[in-house]
Amino acid sequence: MTQMTFARAINSGLRKSLENDPKVILMGEDIGTLGGVFRITDGLQKDFGKHRVIDTPLAESGIMGTAVGLAYRGYRPVVEIQFDGFVYPAFDQIVCQVAKLHYRTQGAVKMPITIRIPFGGGIGSPEHHSESPEAYFTHTSGLRVVSVSNPQDAYIMIQQAIASNDPVVYFEPKRRYHDKGEVDESVDPASALSMEKASVVTEGTDVTLVSYGPLVKTARDAALAAADDGVSVEVIDLRSLSPVDFSTVEASVRKTGRLVVTHEAGQFGGIGGEIAASITERCFYHLEAAPVRVTGFDIPYPYSKLEMHHLPDLDRILDGVDRALGRPNSLSGLEG
Amino acid sequence: MTQMTFARAINSGLRKSLENDPKVILMGEDIGTLGGVFRITDGLQKDFGKHRVIDTPLAESGIMGTAVGLAYRGYRPVVEIQFDGFVYPAFDQIVCQVAKLHYRTQGAVKMPITIRIPFGGGIGSPEHHSESPEAYFTHTSGLRVVSVSNPQDAYIMIQQAIASNDPVVYFEPKRRYHDKGEVDESVDPASALSMEKASVVTEGTDVTLVSYGPLVKTARDAALAAADDGVSVEVIDLRSLSPVDFSTVEASVRKTGRLVVTHEAGQFGGIGGEIAASITERCFYHLEAAPVRVTGFDIPYPYSKLEMHHLPDLDRILDGVDRALGRPNSLSGLEG
Amino acid sequence: MNADDLSQGGTTAAGPDNWANHHYRTGGNLVQLITPGGERVSHPEYDVWVKDVTDEQLASLYEDMVVIRRIDTEATALQRQGELALWPPLAGQEASQIGSARALRDDDFVFSSYRENGVAYCRGVDLTDIVRVWRGNASAGWDPYSINMATPQIIIGAQTLHATGYALGIQHDGADSVAMAYFGDGATSEGDVNEAMVFAASFQAPVIFFCQNNHWAISEPVGLQSHIQLADRATGFGIPSVRVDGNDVLAVMAATREALERARHGGGPSFIEAVTYRMGPHTTADDPTRYRDANELEDWAAKDPMTRVRSLLERRESWSEELETRVAAKADAVAQEMRSGCINMPDPQPLDVFKHVYSTPHSWLERQQDHYSRYLASFGDPAQAASEEGAR
Amino acid sequence: MNADDLSQGGTTAAGPDNWANHHYRTGGNLVQLITPGGERVSHPEYDVWVKDVTDEQLASLYEDMVVIRRIDTEATALQRQGELALWPPLAGQEASQIGSARALRDDDFVFSSYRENGVAYCRGVDLTDIVRVWRGNASAGWDPYSINMATPQIIIGAQTLHATGYALGIQHDGADSVAMAYFGDGATSEGDVNEAMVFAASFQAPVIFFCQNNHWAISEPVGLQSHIQLADRATGFGIPSVRVDGNDVLAVMAATREALERARHGGGPSFIEAVTYRMGPHTTADDPTRYRDANELEDWAAKDPMTRVRSLLERRESWSEELETRVAAKADAVAQEMRSGCINMPDPQPLDVFKHVYSTPHSWLERQQDHYSRYLASFGDPAQAASEEGAR
Ligand SMILES: Cc1ncc(C[n+]2csc(CCOP(=O)(O)OP(=O)(O)O)c2C)c(N)n1
Ligand SMILES: Cc1ncc(C[n+]2csc(CCOP(=O)(O)OP(=O)(O)O)c2C)c(N)n1
Ligand SMILES: [Mg+2]
Ligand SMILES: [Mg+2]
């Protein structure tokens, strides 16, 4: 066990993957000499060489499309998208190629590409640097999507993502990069909990609170605060967003009868709606109240002076918990 | 009133817009001499000239990005994307520019761009020609999204979309292009039903069936078939997908207590989930059963020999209606 | 004869030996080695690349061209007869496809668009596999690794990046094979094609950008995409390029061999503009009379790629009745094989739609498949129930 | 003096009169009119474009450069003091920005990246507006129509297409203004920039592609994007281009005026590569010592854009203490105005986040705003309740 930052944990996982499999290649803008704008790839080019940790020209479709070609040739490219808001030029290659080539070729061509995307807000950045585009990817069949919430998972799941024969979009909660946690680097990713499984990070009985990525910490804090108030919140860290581990969520909701989902992304068509709808389908008769969503607004990511209003925080989550429990809340009195 | 095809109705609406506003400009691949691969712009270049109906180079980001520049200059570009699956190269310009410039500039710059996308399957085409990408756009704040289901709406709503000062993605159900219907060309789009409103196209009392675009016809047929079976289905044509006219859907569900949503797009993160979640939030205590979704599968659009399996049809919709009503259905016996 | 002969030839010995320092050539004049009339004209730079090509080999290239035109005609007929949903004809582009594809080695890897069915033929594709996609029985007809050719790419230009990435892999492996990207004149406008040139130039990747300028992108003339010749586009990326008569199989082969040798020897990417013409419609769904002039077609008919080779062989007295008969018989046999493969292709099974979306099970999709199989079973159709079993 | 003088000058009379037939110029040698030592060197083609520039005007350009460097220093200081979240310094690029921007007319329209704050200054931006975005108070600092300059574009290269589209609009209107696209060396690799050149060339749009090659894209040297000079990229699209000393304000102005005149007279797009250097970090968040050599910095310090103009003016005895004092005072005043504008900027109100997402009400978002205002009100904070009222 070592104390390390989230950033370091990913770095260490990448290093392990580079060591273990010569087919692993890292590609991206500024990931070499600089070690990435967040230093996630710090030192890797120095240790593995310019041919395995590649600074690419400034063109996201180019990066993704050449990664596809490398995968065709048997490589396992790990692509860094510098910030969430810069993934869109690569969207065509992701949706039409990365996601579909395995299907198109009836399994002949594997696309073991990992797309690392630092995502989410709360870091005081200008436009395009704080987005949460995960729903675009979870709605794209052929992709797997994960998001990590703590250094240990970050370390393990980056290796699992790289080892997967399917393309994986790996969302890194950038505002947690400097948070520290215990990491056991001796854990073998192959025997660790599969990246497809959710995990119950706080047990509780009154309401199920589902989250992922940056808000898991906030959700746990909310559970602590709620406990003070006599409310027992079960917090689930989804970890995988495609597929979502509905069994774990369902089991919890069957117990609590109430569901709150929280994420930074906008609400309309976000993961929260899918989980609300799917859980309602699966356990309608166990639900005591309508599932509640506590999410970012459906607006372009706002300038940093106001981002704390956009981002769900502890208070907004608790307000959502109150709504799920039918306790007085900000919308009390409104029909529903 | 004139009998005309869906395709002709859009053509006629475009013509009206070109006539009424010199700032309206059509842009796209093959829309000029050829009149578009579906002939939607047939004859328009001949009548309005090469400067108003522009054959562009083969580059979707280029088309969308130059449309943004034209909008900056005060024009109202109407962009044709040749097929649904070819919109992704333009995704960056749509998401980061078209959708956000009004917000970014605090309202100073208007983006009255209409993006016409023939969408959906059922025409026996190869890959990329039959997709239903609407959820990518409805999850993008700053865009309005509509889909039309009949020639009269097509005629009116294309004009409303072009007149809107916000960008509008206008989804055309390509497999209905040759369907005929009555069109009253004398209707003034400004006084017609707003494109943001849903419409109840079949009244009923037992279950609410929500759809849009190509499946509205199928939904109406299903309602007829259900009626034979003694089930009264209320069919709603959403028309607008962003915003969704939830009041209309809610009013219906409060009456029927049951909801089925059907669309061709994949289910995970599709419009169906959002409607299920939102309606559950709004009228949980009026729901007699969990909302049911009858959708395309979460797979890349399959080759044409199997597309009829992917696409919801009358039987699958009726099976969904049975599920909503708790009548024997294909999933009877499964827990839920 | 063995087509592989053509992928080796005497070229390695013949070519300049310092590829890395090879000067950039702007498009300039069209490289032509056989005139439309069938005269062999000499070219100071390109003759050397085909000096080993015998008349017998020329006859073999002729045969290839006849065969793929026949494939094209047969497939078009199959479409008209309702056996195929669609077909993108290659008629007119035989020399571009054969001249380039026959220059390749087996271990080179091709990334093409939808129109390179002649190239697929050269790669040794099973004839049934060619029509699989167009019949609607699959999204891709073959296993790319079985013939070292990716399946047709429909997203215009996307494959040029795949070729470039594949070439980076070749480079990483220290191999001397080459990635070959086929695309059209219209494709040159797409960002992807330009980014592919950026990456290829930056890393000096062993990739060839083979642009078939067939003058049309559906209804759009090439002049809408560029008012200067397409070969010059590459120059701006620091990629050597050549403009070649795309209806001259020998010239195309020479240019391709040159580019291949450059790539194999660390000289990086090349761009070849093969100037040709799409004699047919864009696809069987297209009506070219709406946008182009019959005269243009006539002009190009006079430049037919097969006629000129036949004339040349005749001039050289290497033409014979026997050859003609043999070629025709071969074309017939190929067409027949493709037709019967097409018609007898078994239909896919309903649950096949769920196959291969992921390489390992995905819980959401598994549940969806389970529900759909229950749905199918609810009709109580034993045939359907059986096919379900098979698919799982 | 009036900067507008520079946007007109004697150039129309002086330039070649048939722009449409103007020959293409490859990048070739760097156009330079003032050496780093301050010598005015003559240039057969470009002298004519600045023959009207008086010493007084040169002093004015000098003043502009000093002022924008001061804006840059002040903003960097504001960032260090926590008043700005971020700042992208332009230091080193003063001549590129002033020489080009001062050649523009008011009715030309600029589309820039985040680094062209010097250009914004020339366009007459309110100094508070320059820092609005970087303080986190807005996504865009100004109304683009008030100064005919779009707000900073962060998506690399995207603005080049906007400029091209705007230019199509100009063309459609029959106007003779020009759209100006500023972008960096790194941006040239993006598909959008290349597509912009395709569209601009195809329609002969009145747009200038002004590339500030400052040698770095964050940590990536320009050689990673291209191993040939960037000006040559344009040639491959059929767009005339020139490579100019980007630290020479006069040379930049000459090249820009030439391109503007070409565009105004129907000669279509041009590409200018201004070869310059980013003396500071990429942004205040960057640490360039991780990736670049101190020597490189020193070399470029010797090519400073202001020093050479000052030397030239001294040589010509047009320099004076009084001028120096006046310029310094102006820079101080500008810096002071920006600082106080920055510090006194009122904070936005919570419900402002919902404003301007749409131009007319959107029912879903209205409900969301309503819920959030209820949420804020639930804290019973009267200040918040009041601000809500204001925002609706
Ligand atoms: C990204 C994308 N946009 C549009 C299309 C529709 N489309 C199919 S073929 C074609 C023309 C291609 O022209 P060209 O590149 O010259 O190739 P050719 O068909 O002549 O072989 C177009 C526009 C597409 N397939 N992909
Ligand atoms: C599409 C996109 N990808 C990546 C980035 C991140 N990024 C910001 S600036 C920059 C480098 C730009 O370099 P250059 O074009 O040379 O402009 P300069 O910063 O030197 O002015 C990068 C990669 C971005 N803003 N947009
Ligand atoms: Mg073509
Ligand atoms: Mg730069």
Side-chain angles (χ1 to χ4, degrees):
Chain A
M1 285 291 210
T2 326
Q3 270 272 115
M4 63 173 83
T5 61
F6 213 116
R8 190 84 214 151
I10 303 175
N11 179 280
S12 173
L14 290 169
R15 178 177 290 277
K16 272 267 156 63
S17 295
L18 282 161
E19 274 165 12
N20 294 342
D21 186 348
K23 294 294 185 192
V24 172
I25 285 188
L26 273 47
M27 308 169 68
E29 297 158 5
D30 305 292
I31 69 165
T33 328
L34 184 63
V37 295
F38 291 110
R39 310 288 184 267
I40 304 300
T41 54
D42 194 26
L44 299 178
Q45 186 181 70
K46 199 167 133 279
D47 295 345
F48 295 92
K50 291 202 175 213
H51 290 279
R52 296 201 56 205
V53 180
I54 307 175
D55 269 334
T56 65
L58 206 182
E60 290 75 13
S61 190
I63 300 172
M64 204 60 66
T66 52
V68 168
L70 279 159
Y72 249 107
R73 180 83 190 174
Y75 286 90
R76 292 185 173 274
V78 183
V79 167
E80 174 174 305
I81 295 293
Q82 201 162 76
F83 280 88
D84 32 66
F86 308 146
V87 71
Y88 307 112
F91 203 67
D92 177 55
Q93 285 285 346
I94 295 174
V95 168
C96 297
Q97 312 298 334
V98 175
K100 296 199 174 90
L101 265 162
H102 188 262
Y103 189 76
R104 183 177 305 150
T105 62
Q106 297 167 59
V109 179
K110 302 268 179 276
M111 279 292 128
I113 297 178
T114 302
I115 305 173
R116 293 181 39 238
I117 308 183
F119 85 125
I123 63 163
S125 270
E127 239 194 315
H128 311 292
H129 291 76
S130 299
E131 300 179 8
S132 296
E134 60 271 23
Y136 293 127
F137 301 98
T138 55
H139 186 58
T140 304
S141 43
L143 301 176
R144 292 176 187 274
V145 181
V146 301
S147 179
V148 287
S149 73
N150 63 76
Q152 179 71 46
D153 278 0
Y155 171 74
I156 296 293
M157 286 166 68
I158 187 66
Q159 294 178 73
Q160 293 175 331
I162 295 171
S164 167
N165 277 336
D166 290 321
V168 180
V169 186
Y170 180 93
F171 280 104
E172 305 174 2
K174 68 171 88 80
R175 67 161 137 154
R176 304 289 181 212
Y177 273 151
H178 300 297
D179 290 6
K180 284 194 174 171
E182 294 290 328
V183 176
D184 182 350
E185 287 171 289
S186 70
V187 176
D188 176 9
S191 57
L193 181 66
S194 154
M195 66 177 183
E196 290 194 12
K197 295 286 173 217
S199 88
V200 176
V201 293
T202 306
E203 294 200 17
T205 50
D206 295 337
V207 54
T208 301
L209 173 58
V210 170
S211 192
Y212 55 89
L215 289 188
V216 172
K217 181 178 183 312
T218 320
R220 297 178 78 154
D221 292 347
L224 283 176
D228 286 346
D229 210 15
V231 175
S232 168
V233 177
E234 178 145 303
V235 179
I236 295 179
D237 176 359
L238 283 182
R239 294 166 26 108
S240 178
L241 307 181
S242 174
V244 162
D245 175 6
F246 280 111
S247 319
T248 298
V249 182
E250 186 180 340
S252 177
V253 174
R254 280 177 187 261
K255 181 173 71 177
T256 62
R258 300 175 194 273
L259 172 66
V260 176
V261 189
T262 184
H263 54 62
E264 294 187 11
Q267 185 164 108
F268 195 96
I271 306 278
E274 182 55 54
I275 292 178
S278 282
I279 288 300
T280 304
E281 276 165 30
R282 289 174 195 233
C283 41
F284 183 69
Y285 296 106
H286 293 79
L287 280 176
E288 309 277 351
V292 169
R293 292 181 277 173
V294 181
T295 68
F297 305 126
D298 289 291
I299 58 174
Y301 196 87
Y303 32 99
S304 58
K305 277 272 172 72
L306 292 185
E307 66 179 331
M308 66 289 201
H309 283 282
H310 175 66
L311 296 171
D313 60 8
L314 190 135
D315 285 331
R316 269 171 71 193
I317 291 175
L318 289 176
D319 184 57
V321 167
D322 286 340
R323 250 187 294 156
L325 285 162
R327 289 162 41 122
N329 67 77
S330 68
L331 301 185
S332 295
L334 275 187
E335 250 193 320
Chain B
M1 284 290 210
T2 327
Q3 271 274 114
M4 62 174 83
T5 62
F6 213 118
R8 192 80 216 156
I10 304 175
N11 179 280
S12 173
L14 290 169
R15 178 178 290 276
K16 271 269 157 62
S17 295
L18 282 160
E19 276 165 9
N20 295 340
D21 186 348
K23 293 296 184 190
V24 172
I25 284 188
L26 273 48
M27 308 169 68
E29 296 159 6
D30 305 293
I31 68 165
T33 328
L34 184 63
V37 294
F38 291 110
R39 312 288 185 264
I40 304 299
T41 53
D42 193 25
L44 298 178
Q45 186 181 70
K46 198 167 133 281
D47 294 345
F48 296 92
K50 290 202 174 210
H51 291 277
R52 297 205 51 208
V53 180
I54 307 175
D55 270 334
T56 65
L58 207 181
E60 290 75 12
S61 190
I63 299 171
M64 204 61 67
T66 51
V68 168
L70 279 159
Y72 249 107
R73 179 83 190 174
Y75 286 90
R76 295 186 170 271
V78 182
V79 166
E80 172 174 307
I81 296 293
Q82 201 163 78
F83 279 87
D84 34 65
F86 307 146
V87 72
Y88 307 113
F91 203 66
D92 178 55
Q93 286 284 348
I94 296 174
V95 168
C96 297
Q97 312 297 335
V98 175
K100 296 198 174 88
L101 265 162
H102 188 263
Y103 190 75
R104 182 177 304 150
T105 61
Q106 298 168 59
V109 179
K110 302 268 179 276
M111 279 292 129
I113 297 178
T114 301
I115 305 173
R116 292 182 38 238
I117 309 183
F119 85 127
I123 62 162
S125 268
E127 239 194 313
H128 310 293
H129 291 74
S130 299
E131 300 179 7
S132 297
E134 59 271 23
Y136 294 127
F137 301 98
T138 54
H139 186 57
T140 303
S141 43
L143 300 177
R144 293 176 186 273
V145 182
V146 301
S147 179
V148 286
S149 73
N150 62 76
Q152 179 72 47
D153 278 1
Y155 171 75
I156 296 293
M157 286 166 69
I158 187 66
Q159 294 178 72
Q160 292 174 331
I162 295 171
S164 168
N165 276 337
D166 291 320
V168 180
V169 187
Y170 179 92
F171 280 106
E172 305 174 1
K174 68 171 90 79
R175 66 162 137 152
R176 305 288 180 213
Y177 274 151
H178 301 298
D179 290 6
K180 285 194 173 169
E182 294 290 327
V183 176
D184 181 350
E185 288 172 290
S186 70
V187 176
D188 175 10
S191 57
L193 182 67
S194 153
M195 67 178 182
E196 292 194 11
K197 295 288 173 214
S199 87
V200 176
V201 292
T202 306
E203 295 200 16
T205 50
D206 295 338
V207 54
T208 302
L209 174 57
V210 170
S211 192
Y212 55 88
L215 288 188
V216 171
K217 181 177 182 312
T218 319
R220 297 179 79 155
D221 292 346
L224 284 177
D228 285 346
D229 210 14
V231 175
S232 167
V233 177
E234 178 145 304
V235 179
I236 295 180
D237 177 359
L238 284 182
R239 297 169 20 112
S240 178
L241 307 180
S242 174
V244 162
D245 174 7
F246 279 112
S247 321
T248 298
V249 181
E250 187 180 340
S252 176
V253 174
R254 281 178 186 258
K255 179 173 72 177
T256 63
R258 303 176 192 269
L259 172 66
V260 176
V261 190
T262 185
H263 53 62
E264 293 188 12
Q267 185 164 108
F268 195 97
I271 304 277
E274 182 56 54
I275 292 177
S278 283
I279 288 299
T280 304
E281 276 165 28
R282 289 174 195 233
C283 41
F284 184 67
Y285 296 107
H286 292 80
L287 280 177
E288 310 277 352
V292 168
R293 292 181 278 172
V294 180
T295 69
F297 305 127
D298 288 292
I299 59 173
Y301 197 88
Y303 32 99
S304 59
K305 276 273 172 73
L306 292 185
E307 66 179 330
M308 66 291 201
H309 284 281
H310 174 65
L311 297 172
D313 60 8
L314 189 137
D315 285 332
R316 270 170 72 194
I317 291 174
L318 289 176
D319 185 57
V321 167
D322 286 340
R323 249 188 293 157
L325 285 164
R327 290 161 43 121
N329 66 78
S330 68
L331 302 184
S332 296
L334 275 186
E335 249 194 321
Chain C
M1 61 150 295
N2 183 353
D4 275 352
D5 293 359
L6 292 166
S7 70
Q8 285 141 19
T11 55
T12 308
D17 45 21
N18 186 351
W19 286 109
N21 295 328
H22 192 59
H23 68 99
Y24 296 149
R25 185 183 300 108
T26 57
N29 293 327
L30 207 62
V31 175
Q32 189 182 70
L33 301 180
I34 309 176
T35 65
E39 199 186 334
R40 175 72 171 80
V41 287
S42 80
H43 190 287
E45 286 184 75
Y46 284 95
D47 277 347
V48 62
W49 293 103
V50 288
K51 67 175 188 311
D52 62 303
V53 178
T54 61
D55 281 3
E56 196 194 347
Q57 286 173 323
L58 212 51
S60 156
L61 295 172
Y62 176 81
E63 176 193 294
D64 285 342
M65 293 195 287
V66 171
V67 169
I68 68 171
R69 178 164 297 183
R70 183 58 196 274
I71 286 178
D72 206 59
T73 327
E74 194 71 22
T76 302
L78 282 164
Q79 194 278 334
R80 300 293 179 224
Q81 292 153 14
E83 297 293 344
L84 296 181
L86 194 77
W87 177 255
L90 61 81
Q93 304 179 211
E94 292 86 356
S96 293
Q97 297 197 12
I98 295 299
S100 57
R102 282 298 182 212
L104 301 175
R105 285 194 331 219
D106 282 351
D107 65 342
D108 296 328
F109 204 103
V110 171
F111 292 85
S112 80
S113 86
Y114 40 83
R115 204 180 297 286
E116 284 73 34
N117 292 299
V119 174
Y121 169 75
C122 295
R123 302 303 285 167
V125 74
D126 182 296
L127 292 163
T128 308
D129 286 349
I130 283 194
V131 286
R132 225 173 264 288
V133 170
W134 311 109
R135 190 169 167 85
N137 281 50
S139 296
W142 58 83
D143 173 348
Y145 299 114
S146 69
I147 57 170
N148 279 354
M149 175 168 176
T151 52
Q153 178 59 247
I154 290 176
I155 301 297
I156 300 297
Q159 75 278 13
T160 58
L161 280 168
H162 306 166
T164 304
Y166 191 94
L168 294 177
I170 292 174
Q171 202 176 41
H172 201 273
D173 293 341
D176 75 344
S177 52
V178 176
M180 182 83 168
Y182 286 94
F183 56 100
D185 44 300
T188 59
S189 293
E190 288 281 7
D192 272 9
V193 175
N194 294 281
E195 293 189 10
M197 288 195 266
V198 168
F199 276 66
S202 185
F203 298 114
Q204 287 295 293
V207 56
I208 299 177
F209 296 103
F210 192 92
C211 176
Q212 286 175 82
N213 174 0
N214 65 5
H215 285 78
W216 293 93
I218 309 186
S219 75
E220 301 190 337
V222 59
L224 180 61
Q225 319 290 340
S226 178
H227 60 270
I228 64 166
Q229 54 192 40
L230 295 173
D232 285 347
R233 175 73 56 83
T235 316
F237 293 88
I239 296 178
S241 70
V242 60
R243 191 157 184 260
V244 65
D245 182 341
N247 284 11
D248 173 351
V249 72
L250 211 55
V252 171
M253 177 167 281
T256 310
R257 282 173 163 192
E258 182 201 32
L260 283 165
E261 284 298 298
R262 181 182 300 126
R264 296 199 203 291
H265 293 81
S270 305
F271 184 106
I272 298 172
E273 177 189 357
V275 182
T276 180
Y277 196 79
R278 190 193 82 210
M279 298 299 290
H282 171 67
T283 65
T284 46
D286 179 42
D287 172 11
T289 62
R290 288 180 68 100
Y291 54 80
R292 73 183 182 188
D293 208 351
N295 293 335
E296 199 177 286
L297 212 64
E298 247 174 64
D299 288 352
W300 281 94
K303 301 181 195 162
D304 185 75
M306 275 93 105
T307 314
R308 70 177 78 182
V309 177
R310 180 180 167 146
S311 304
L312 176 60
L313 289 173
E314 282 170 353
R315 274 170 204 257
R316 291 184 175 166
E317 298 183 355
S318 295
W319 184 261
S320 66
E321 285 290 322
E322 182 265 327
L323 172 64
E324 192 164 7
T325 318
R326 187 161 43 85
V327 166
K330 170 81 185 212
D332 281 347
V334 164
Q336 191 44 49
E337 189 181 332
M338 185 177 78
R339 168 174 287 272
S340 82
C342 174
I343 290 173
N344 298 316
M345 205 181 292
D347 275 346
Q349 296 301 308
L351 294 184
D352 287 356
V353 295
F354 296 103
K355 272 190 186 162
H356 304 301
V357 180
Y358 296 96
S359 70
T360 47
H362 183 279
S363 54
W364 173 268
L365 196 61
E366 284 202 309
R367 188 168 187 265
Q368 213 163 61
Q369 170 167 352
D370 175 54
H371 285 192
Y372 190 59
S373 80
R374 286 170 194 273
Y375 170 78
L376 290 177
S378 73
F379 290 88
D381 175 344
Q384 248 157 346
S387 68
E388 273 162 55
E389 290 303 314
R392 293 177 75 188
Chain D
M1 62 149 295
N2 184 353
D4 275 351
D5 293 0
L6 292 165
S7 70
Q8 286 143 17
T11 53
T12 308
D17 46 19
N18 187 351
W19 287 108
N21 294 329
H22 194 57
H23 67 99
Y24 295 149
R25 187 183 298 110
T26 57
N29 293 328
L30 206 62
V31 174
Q32 190 181 69
L33 301 180
I34 310 177
T35 66
E39 199 186 335
R40 176 70 171 82
V41 287
S42 81
H43 190 288
E45 284 184 77
Y46 285 93
D47 278 347
V48 63
W49 293 104
V50 287
K51 68 176 188 318
D52 62 304
V53 178
T54 61
D55 281 3
E56 196 195 346
Q57 287 174 324
L58 211 51
S60 157
L61 294 172
Y62 176 80
E63 177 193 293
D64 284 341
M65 293 195 287
V66 171
V67 168
I68 68 170
R69 179 164 296 183
R70 183 59 195 275
I71 286 178
D72 205 59
T73 327
E74 193 72 22
T76 302
L78 283 165
Q79 195 279 333
R80 299 294 178 222
Q81 293 154 12
E83 297 293 344
L84 295 182
L86 194 77
W87 177 255
L90 60 82
Q93 305 178 212
E94 292 85 356
S96 293
Q97 297 197 12
I98 296 298
S100 57
R102 282 299 182 211
L104 301 175
R105 283 193 333 217
D106 283 352
D107 65 341
D108 296 328
F109 205 104
V110 171
F111 292 85
S112 80
S113 87
Y114 40 83
R115 205 181 295 287
E116 284 73 34
N117 293 299
V119 175
Y121 169 73
C122 296
R123 302 302 285 166
V125 74
D126 183 295
L127 291 162
T128 309
D129 286 348
I130 282 195
V131 287
R132 225 173 264 287
V133 169
W134 311 107
R135 190 168 167 87
N137 280 51
S139 296
W142 59 82
D143 173 348
Y145 299 114
S146 68
I147 58 171
N148 279 353
M149 174 168 177
T151 52
Q153 178 58 247
I154 290 177
I155 301 297
I156 300 297
Q159 76 278 14
T160 58
L161 280 168
H162 306 167
T164 304
Y166 191 93
L168 293 177
I170 292 174
Q171 202 174 44
H172 201 273
D173 294 340
D176 75 344
S177 53
V178 176
M180 182 85 169
Y182 285 94
F183 55 101
D185 44 301
T188 59
S189 292
E190 289 281 10
D192 272 8
V193 175
N194 294 282
E195 293 189 9
M197 288 195 268
V198 168
F199 276 66
S202 185
F203 297 113
Q204 288 295 292
V207 55
I208 299 176
F209 297 103
F210 192 92
C211 176
Q212 286 176 80
N213 173 1
N214 66 5
H215 284 78
W216 292 93
I218 308 186
S219 74
E220 301 191 337
V222 59
L224 180 61
Q225 318 290 342
S226 178
H227 61 271
I228 63 166
Q229 53 192 40
L230 296 174
D232 285 348
R233 175 72 57 83
T235 315
F237 293 88
I239 295 178
S241 70
V242 59
R243 193 159 182 257
V244 65
D245 182 342
N247 284 11
D248 174 351
V249 71
L250 212 54
V252 171
M253 178 167 282
T256 309
R257 283 173 163 191
E258 182 201 33
L260 283 165
E261 284 299 298
R262 182 182 299 126
R264 296 198 203 292
H265 294 81
S270 306
F271 184 106
I272 298 172
E273 178 190 358
V275 181
T276 180
Y277 196 79
R278 189 193 80 210
M279 298 300 288
H282 171 68
T283 65
T284 46
D286 179 42
D287 172 12
T289 64
R290 288 179 69 101
Y291 54 82
R292 73 183 183 187
D293 209 352
N295 294 334
E296 199 177 285
L297 213 62
E298 249 174 61
D299 289 351
W300 281 95
K303 301 181 196 162
D304 186 76
M306 276 92 104
T307 314
R308 68 177 78 180
V309 177
R310 180 180 168 146
S311 306
L312 177 60
L313 290 172
E314 281 169 355
R315 274 170 203 257
R316 292 184 174 168
E317 301 186 350
S318 295
W319 184 261
S320 67
E321 284 292 320
E322 183 265 328
L323 171 64
E324 192 163 10
T325 319
R326 185 160 45 84
V327 166
K330 170 80 185 214
D332 281 348
V334 163
Q336 192 42 50
E337 188 181 333
M338 185 176 77
R339 169 174 287 272
S340 81
C342 173
I343 290 175
N344 299 316
M345 206 181 290
D347 275 348
Q349 297 301 308
L351 294 185
D352 287 355
V353 296
F354 295 103
K355 273 191 187 160
H356 304 301
V357 180
Y358 296 94
S359 69
T360 47
H362 183 279
S363 55
W364 173 268
L365 196 61
E366 284 203 310
R367 188 170 188 263
Q368 214 164 59
Q369 169 167 351
D370 175 55
H371 285 192
Y372 190 59
S373 79
R374 287 170 193 273
Y375 170 78
L376 290 177
S378 73
F379 289 88
D381 176 345
Q384 249 158 344
S387 71
E388 271 162 57
E389 290 304 314
R392 292 176 77 189

